[in-house]
Amino acid sequence: MEEFTFEDLPNIMGKLYRKMDKIERLLKAKKRSDKDKNEELLTIEGASKLLSLSVATIYTKVCKNEIPVNKQGKRLYFYREELLDWIKSGRIKTIAEIQNEVEAKFNSKLSSK
């Protein structure tokens, strides 16, 4: 590690401030980028690519109200984030997760008695 004198402090603080400012701007830009990506509006073709399903399958799921969709006139639109949440909602729990839930319920009932 480099040794600094008291006279070096103003220069060091200036460099440190510029670096922190740059990091802060990069983080804010990434946050905006992530937000824009999640709010991205997709057509049926975009939804098809995102979900790796055929366009016909997407239409079938829309007709059965199985998938979140926004309709404007004859056009269908999908929010990327809603589609990803829809996929996550169909997650099947592992045996270990189910056992942990059962044990937690059992233990909470025992402690409440």
Side-chain angles (χ1 to χ4, degrees):
M1 182 139 196
E2 202 175 327
E3 298 240 352
F4 300 106
T5 64
F6 184 75
E7 289 79 28
D8 295 331
L9 281 178
N11 290 335
I12 292 169
M13 291 302 292
K15 287 180 184 178
L16 183 60
Y17 176 79
R18 286 189 296 277
K19 286 183 180 185
M20 291 296 290
D21 188 51
K22 186 176 179 180
I23 290 170
E24 187 177 336
R25 280 187 271 122
L26 288 170
L27 288 173
K28 284 180 181 178
K30 181 171 177 10
K31 188 176 181 180
R32 277 192 303 269
S33 169
D34 289 347
K35 184 179 178 185
D36 292 345
K37 190 174 183 181
N38 284 339
E39 291 180 356
E40 181 181 357
L41 198 59
L42 303 172
T43 61
I44 194 154
E45 291 82 11
S48 171
K49 286 180 186 175
L50 177 68
L51 300 174
S52 299
L53 297 171
S54 70
V55 171
T57 302
I58 300 287
Y59 277 119
T60 302
K61 291 190 175 299
V62 166
C63 288
K64 293 180 178 180
N65 292 324
E66 294 178 359
I67 191 169
V69 64
N70 298 285
K71 189 173 180 184
Q72 191 65 27
K74 293 184 179 182
R75 295 194 145 253
L76 300 176
Y77 297 99
F78 303 86
Y79 283 104
R80 184 177 196 278
E81 186 173 11
E82 286 181 354
L83 292 177
L84 295 175
D85 290 342
W86 174 71
I87 291 169
K88 291 174 188 174
S89 71
R91 184 177 178 278
I92 298 172
K93 295 180 182 177
T94 65
I95 293 173
E97 289 172 329
I98 294 169
Q99 287 175 336
N100 288 339
E101 285 180 8
V102 169
E103 288 174 7
K105 277 188 177 183
F106 183 73
N107 290 335
S108 70
K109 285 187 180 186
L110 284 179
S111 64
S112 65
K113 287 184 178 182

